């Protein structure tokens, strides 16, 4: 830590900047970070490290690794980097520290946040699932995000592709909808890049939070670490679609570790995207058949009746083709076999179903989705 830094900053700013630098120490992690902060003020911890000393019970090799970082620390520069990105810094004991994380079994020792921390004052639901979701899963996630946001619930996700993105797209489609995104990199490294708009929406309308400082790039270890915070910030966790292994299942484990209710959306037994959710149901998770099930788990009731979808009148061929598609999706050749209608009849009916917004084509797969919403 440079000797002239303290003269440029007041005591609170010095501690805030030291906290940012500590978060950048290599091989740190939440437990070691908490152990360091338990020994004193962040500025004092950093000063001891700069001198090659440490009051926490950590390996001497780590102290040797951290000391050069602490000596080279630019405290004003660390604060300026956060300010330039509109990022605030909090640690446990601060007035704005999320209440849900106070007794968490593995809390972050620092949070970098942009937006409204009071977004977490409302009931919260984490909606999670696979990145490689079906159109069915994408639509269910969108509708859950939309309906829950309309009921005043804050929707939390890890801002991944697929289910996470669909849930937050539904959330921000509601005027006043509040999205909370927990990410696995610094605020200046958007990942995945396709979700840049959702990142911005979380920071502007809700909350975008990370335990990593600006400048930190996404890494493999960061995603399961992110998922534990998703579970920690949620009152209820909803799994829309998930394979039997993956990040969603890790979020479920973390939710159960924290005694959070877990609801799972049933899916087709032939769909790999629903293998994990169906297994959760078999193991005793609560089934989710509508957003009302989530509201019930939260102890809430919907204030207004749901809007009924407008279902167009279908002729006999269209209804046959729609039934043949089912909820598992299929290719065109398989659809012709299922429908047992002439190829030209199936093709024409399929085009009309797409126009009605009941069916979409995803690559070479034809997928059905809920009535009344186009793809």
């Amino acid at each position: 830590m440079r000797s002239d830094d303290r003269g440029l900053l007041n005591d609170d700013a010095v501690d805030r900047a030291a906290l940012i630098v500590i978060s950048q120490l290599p091989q740190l992690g939440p437990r070691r970070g908490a152990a360091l902060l338990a020994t004193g003020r962040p500025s004092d911890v950093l000063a001891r490290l700069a001198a090659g000393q440490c009051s926490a019970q950590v390996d001497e090799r780590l102290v040797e690794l951290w000391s050069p970082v602490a000596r080279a620390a630019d405290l004003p520069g660390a604060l300026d980097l956060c300010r330039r990105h509109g990022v605030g810094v909090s640690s446990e004991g601060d007035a704005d520290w999320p209440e849900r994380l106070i007794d968490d079994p593995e809390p972050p020792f620092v949070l970098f946040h942009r937006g409204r921390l009071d977004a977490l004052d409302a009931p919260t639901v984490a909606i999670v699932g696979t990145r490689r979701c079906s159109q069915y899963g994408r639509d269910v996630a969108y509708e859950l995000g939309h309906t829950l946001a309309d009921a005043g619930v804050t929707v939390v996700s890890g801002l991944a592709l697929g289910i996470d993105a669909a849930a937050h797209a539904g959330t921000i489609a509601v005027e006043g909808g509040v999205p909370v995104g927990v990410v696995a990199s610094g605020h200046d490294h958007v990942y995945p890049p396709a979700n840049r708009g959702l990142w911005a929406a979380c920071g502007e309308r809700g909350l975008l939070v990370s335990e990593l400082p600006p400048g930190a790039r996404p890494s493999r270890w960061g995603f399961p670490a992110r998922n534990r915070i998703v579970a920690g910030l949620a009152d209820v966790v909803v799994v829309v679609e998930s394979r039997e292994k993956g990040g969603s299942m890790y979020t479920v484990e973390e939710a159960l570790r924290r005694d959070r209710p877990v609801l799972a959306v049933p899916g087709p037994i032939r769909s790999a995207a629903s293998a994990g959710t169906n297994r959760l149901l078999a193991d005793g998770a609560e089934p989710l058949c509508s957003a009302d099930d989530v509201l019930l788990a939260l102890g809430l009731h919907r204030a207004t009746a749901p809007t009924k979808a407008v279902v167009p009148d279908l002729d006999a061929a269209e209804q046959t083709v729609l039934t043949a598609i089912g909820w598992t999706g299929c290719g065109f050749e398989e659809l012709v076999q299922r429908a047992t209608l002439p190829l030209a009849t199936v093709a024409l009916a399929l085009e009309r179903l797409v126009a009605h917004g009941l069916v979409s084509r995803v690559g070479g797969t034809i997928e059905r989705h809920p009535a009344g919403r186009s793809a």
Side-chain angles (χ1 to χ4, degrees), residues 43-61:
S43 56
D44 293 336
V45 170
L46 196 62
R48 285 195 293 269
L49 288 176
Q53 303 168 1
C54 184
S55 299
Q57 297 297 314
V58 296
D59 193 299
E60 291 184 3
R61 289 174 296 179

Side-chain angles (χ1 to χ4, degrees), residues 260-334:
R260 303 293 200 266
V262 175
L263 282 70
V265 176
I269 61 174
R270 293 179 178 175
S271 171
S274 290
T277 46
N278 289 340
R279 176 54 55 191
L280 287 175
L281 293 169
D283 290 342
E286 290 293 324
L288 191 159
C289 299
S290 75
D292 288 338
D293 295 326
V294 186
L295 296 176
L296 183 63
L298 289 169
L300 303 174
H301 300 282
R302 190 184 298 195
T304 57
T307 302
K308 292 184 178 180
V310 178
V311 183
D313 293 329
L314 304 180
D315 63 26
E318 291 168 346
Q319 186 60 63
T320 299
V321 171
L322 187 64
T323 301
I325 294 170
W327 293 108
T328 57
C330 61
F332 182 74
E333 291 183 1
E334 183 180 355

Side-chain angles (χ1 to χ4, degrees), residues 86-98:
V87 174
V89 188
S90 299
S91 60
E92 189 168 2
D94 290 345
D96 58 0
W97 188 253

Side-chain angles (χ1 to χ4, degrees), residues 154-174:
T154 293
V155 176
V156 183
S157 88
L159 281 182
L161 295 173
I163 296 300
D164 291 23
H168 267 153
T171 302
I172 64 175
V174 175

